[in-house]
Amino acid sequence: MANHTDEMTYSFEIDNFSQRNTIFRTPIFSTRSCNWFVYVYPKGDKISKNMSLWLKVPDPLLRPLCWSRQTSFRFVVVNPSDVNSSRTLKSIDPIFNKGQPFWGFRTDLSLSKLQEGNFLVNDKLKIEVYIGTISVHGGLDPHVLPEKKKETVCVNGFQVRDSQVKSAKWIFETYPETVLYIQPRDPQLKTAYMNILLRIYEKLYNSPLEKLTEGELSNISKGLLDLTQAGFKLEWLREKLEKVSLERKKLSGYEAQAKELEKQLKSLELMMCNLKAEIKLKAER
């Protein structure tokens, strides 16, 4: 069976991942006239304590007798800080039917592994779904949802989201050397690297200084190293990181001084309060 899973079918994010103890289910989505949904056990099911992911056909009991569909599919658990560390889980032509309406994976990805591997950003986990050619028996879905409109635009050979087009064009026009020598040719890998680049750009150019932590700046530095190893020319962005890091240290110093002054002020207020109470007590005698 020929299968093509180069184009992403669907992607979703799970908020507050570390706090979730129950099943997470995506909305129904469609591809090639077939409906699907994904459900995730963030901290495992009764068999495993690690995350598990499953692709399922909706309403299997309401379908025609002896229905089935066969396809290859894969999940990509995205690591936004290091694209090469993203985890791919790939099936081999499973058959979905009334007796087996779902297929998937029990992973070795525990919550601690996801946290230590920097898969979680603001306690949010991103997962991509790729579904290949589908062989259908027993009819297509009677109520197929419209396939989600692609929200990416090609800019200089890179797929970027609509909201990122302006930033991407600015980078290509201001620093055209940035992508002249990149090594990856795989479209998915190129897109992943570009997402990292744009995320770093947004952080360094548009995030308020007080919201940038030492941990975030460290992750940005690591991301720049990964991009540089892939062939990106990012001296301009490295200089921006050094400037932002210096400004953040200065701000941290000011914040420390402000906290110390606030502490001293509270101490003085307490002394004044005690003095007033003492004066009042003496006046009443």
Side-chain angles (χ1 to χ4, degrees):
M1 177 180 179
N3 291 280
H4 304 284
T5 56
D6 290 337
E7 290 191 12
M8 184 174 64
T9 303
Y10 185 74
S11 69
F12 60 95
E13 294 180 336
I14 304 178
D15 294 323
N16 302 316
F17 187 86
S18 66
Q19 306 302 316
R20 290 183 179 270
N21 295 305
T22 58
I23 188 172
F24 174 90
R25 170 176 168 159
T26 71
I28 293 174
F29 58 91
S30 297
T31 183
R32 300 180 177 89
S33 299
C34 290
N35 289 337
W36 308 86
F37 71 90
V38 174
Y39 62 100
V40 181
Y41 290 91
K43 296 176 183 174
D45 50 25
K46 294 181 180 179
I47 297 176
S48 170
K49 292 184 179 180
N50 299 327
M51 181 177 67
S52 61
L53 308 92
W54 307 90
L55 179 66
K56 185 173 182 179
V57 178
D59 302 319
L61 299 180
L62 301 180
R63 296 174 180 278
L65 189 65
C66 298
W67 70 270
S68 70
R69 62 177 66 163
Q70 184 177 17
T71 183
S72 69
F73 69 91
R74 58 189 167 99
F75 296 123
V76 177
V77 183
V78 178
N79 186 328
S81 63
D82 182 3
V83 65
N84 292 318
S85 296
S86 295
R87 182 69 66 86
T88 298
L89 307 164
K90 188 173 182 179
S91 72
I92 304 178
D93 297 343
I95 298 176
F96 296 78
N97 54 37
K98 186 175 181 179
Q100 184 67 44
F102 58 89
W103 289 88
F105 308 90
R106 290 186 176 92
T107 75
D108 63 345
L109 294 171
S110 63
L111 176 60
S112 59
K113 276 191 176 182
L114 292 170
Q115 291 173 327
E116 292 167 4
N118 295 320
F119 282 84
L120 303 181
V121 176
N122 296 325
D123 206 17
K124 183 183 298 184
L125 182 69
K126 181 177 180 180
I127 298 173
E128 298 174 346
V129 187
Y130 297 77
I131 298 177
T133 302
I134 306 171
S135 175
V136 179
H137 299 280
L140 300 174
D141 285 322
H143 303 291
V144 179
L145 297 176
E147 294 192 30
K148 188 177 180 181
K149 181 181 178 182
K150 293 187 181 298
E151 298 178 350
T152 60
V153 178
C154 184
V155 180
N156 283 38
F158 293 86
Q159 292 295 325
V160 301
R161 292 194 295 270
D162 290 340
S163 60
Q164 297 175 318
V165 170
K166 184 176 179 180
S167 297
K169 286 184 175 180
W170 183 88
I171 291 173
F172 294 139
E173 291 171 1
T174 309
Y175 299 100
E177 72 278 7
T178 298
V179 296
L180 289 180
Y181 307 103
I182 63 168
Q183 299 170 7
R185 294 289 177 259
D186 177 77
Q188 181 186 347
L189 196 56
K190 285 178 62 177
T191 298
Y193 276 123
M194 181 53 61
N195 285 336
I196 294 175
L197 174 60
L198 289 170
R199 185 163 50 250
I200 291 175
Y201 168 82
E202 291 294 337
K203 284 280 186 183
L204 293 180
Y205 279 82
N206 298 324
S207 293
L209 270 180
E210 61 272 14
K211 291 188 177 181
L212 286 174
T213 65
E214 290 297 324
E216 285 179 310
L217 292 174
S218 177
N219 286 336
I220 288 174
S221 180
K222 184 177 183 299
L224 287 178
L225 178 60
D226 292 338
L227 291 172
T228 301
Q229 291 174 344
F232 286 80
K233 296 297 181 182
L234 298 172
E235 287 80 4
W236 60 277
L237 202 51
R238 177 67 67 180
E239 290 176 1
K240 180 65 174 179
L241 173 59
E242 292 174 355
K243 181 179 179 181
V244 170
S245 297
L246 181 59
E247 292 174 349
R248 186 66 185 88
K249 287 181 180 179
K250 289 181 179 178
L251 181 61
S252 295
Y254 297 147
E255 290 173 343
Q257 291 179 10
K259 288 182 179 179
E260 180 61 28
L261 288 173
E262 184 179 358
K263 182 179 178 181
Q264 293 177 11
L265 180 60
K266 287 182 178 179
S267 179
L268 288 172
E269 289 175 347
L270 181 60
M271 289 175 59
M272 287 295 296
C273 183
N274 292 336
L275 182 58
K276 288 180 180 179
E278 185 178 345
I279 292 173
K280 182 178 179 181
L281 182 61
K282 288 181 178 180
E284 292 175 349
R285 288 178 180 175

